[in-house]
Amino acid sequence: VTFFPATLTLPAGGSATFFCNISMEKDSGSEYSLNWYKETNHSQAQKIAEISRNNPQTKTEKYLLTNHTPAFKIEILNLHQNDSGSYYCGVIAFFEPDKVMESNRSHLVVTAAPEKTNTTDEPEMEEGNPPDHVKAMLLGILLLAGAVVLLIFGYLTVTYRRGDVQKPPSENAPAEEKPPVVSVSTVDYGVLEFQWDPCPHVLPDNRPADQTEYATIIFPEEKPVTPE
């Protein structure tokens, strides 16, 4: 009866697998049972599991036994540090009562659980409290966005003011009224000369009592005058 591997070192929370290989030289058809034992600090061995030749598999809360005749496998589940110790198997042959054939000892060392097992809590912490580099990146983005908004606002303000200055007077100020054209009457004085037909030989008494004289008056073209 052989038991292997000779040594296993595994972290807590995992599982350990050992194999027990038996060889029946006299009668391959003999009935037997296979027991598994554990020793701690060279104390008295303690039986931990059992499987018969005709049973394909046996499972408990702590152990899983599988029959692969002539090899048998035992899996120690959910390891704890107190599972450390020496393990071996023993064959009880029914054709030879009270005869137990024991295997060699294999040693199991269970170490403390690695720190990585605590990583399941890290995502929740990260969701509630983002890391510092994420906070810094978000702050930088906000500052950059604020600077861009200020630049755009300043540009629009300057452009609007320049547009007010450069607009033609017709857009910025009310249209100036054209000065009214004022006609100024002027008075020109002149002398009207009438042509007399001197008739020295005619006596004044013979002249007609009423005589009408006609004259033509020509006025110059008026020019508009803008009042001061």
Side-chain angles (χ1 to χ4, degrees):
V1 181
T2 57
F3 195 75
F4 59 94
T7 303
L8 279 180
T9 302
L10 297 169
S15 61
T17 302
F18 290 99
F19 293 91
C20 184
N21 192 9
I22 64 175
S23 176
M24 305 297 292
E25 297 179 355
K26 293 183 179 179
D27 188 356
S28 59
S30 299
E31 294 294 330
Y32 58 86
S33 177
L34 189 65
N35 294 343
W36 302 82
Y37 302 94
K38 175 187 176 183
E39 289 181 354
T40 304
N41 298 327
H42 302 286
S43 62
Q44 184 178 1
Q46 177 185 1
K47 180 181 175 180
I48 59 175
E50 177 183 1
I51 187 172
S52 63
R53 175 181 179 180
N54 298 323
N55 192 354
Q57 189 178 71
T58 298
K59 182 178 182 181
T60 65
E61 184 178 354
K62 187 66 178 178
Y63 305 101
L64 174 62
L65 310 177
T66 307
N67 186 346
H68 299 288
T69 307
F72 293 82
K73 180 175 71 173
I74 180 172
E75 295 181 62
I76 306 173
L77 309 175
N78 191 21
L79 291 174
H80 296 282
Q81 288 186 311
N82 58 6
D83 291 325
S84 299
S86 296
Y87 291 84
Y88 66 97
C89 61
V91 178
I92 301 176
F94 297 137
F95 61 91
E96 295 182 12
D98 299 329
K99 183 178 180 181
V100 178
M101 293 175 289
E102 295 182 355
S103 68
N104 55 296
R105 271 59 171 170
S106 294
H107 194 65
L108 172 63
V109 177
V110 180
T111 60
E115 296 180 357
K116 292 182 179 179
T117 56
N118 297 328
T119 56
T120 54
D121 297 333
E122 292 182 0
E124 297 180 359
M125 295 176 62
E126 291 180 357
E127 291 179 1
N129 299 316
D132 294 338
H133 69 277
V134 175
K135 293 181 180 179
M137 182 174 64
L138 292 176
L139 181 60
I141 292 174
L142 291 176
L143 292 176
L144 181 61
V148 171
V149 171
L150 290 177
L151 289 175
I152 294 175
F153 180 76
Y155 174 77
L156 293 177
T157 303
V158 173
T159 303
Y160 179 76
R161 291 180 178 177
R162 288 181 178 177
D164 288 346
V165 173
Q166 295 178 359
K167 284 182 180 179
S170 60
E171 296 182 6
N172 296 330
E176 296 181 358
E177 296 181 358
K178 294 182 179 181
V181 177
V182 181
S183 298
V184 179
S185 300
T186 57
V187 179
D188 292 333
Y189 296 92
V191 178
L192 296 179
E193 296 181 358
F194 297 94
Q195 295 180 358
W196 291 87
D197 185 11
C199 296
H201 56 279
V202 178
L203 296 176
D205 295 336
N206 295 329
R207 292 181 181 177
D210 295 327
Q211 185 176 359
T212 303
E213 300 292 338
Y214 296 92
T216 300
I217 303 173
I218 300 175
F219 297 94
E221 183 180 356
E222 294 183 355
K223 294 182 180 180
V225 178
T226 301
E228 293 181 357

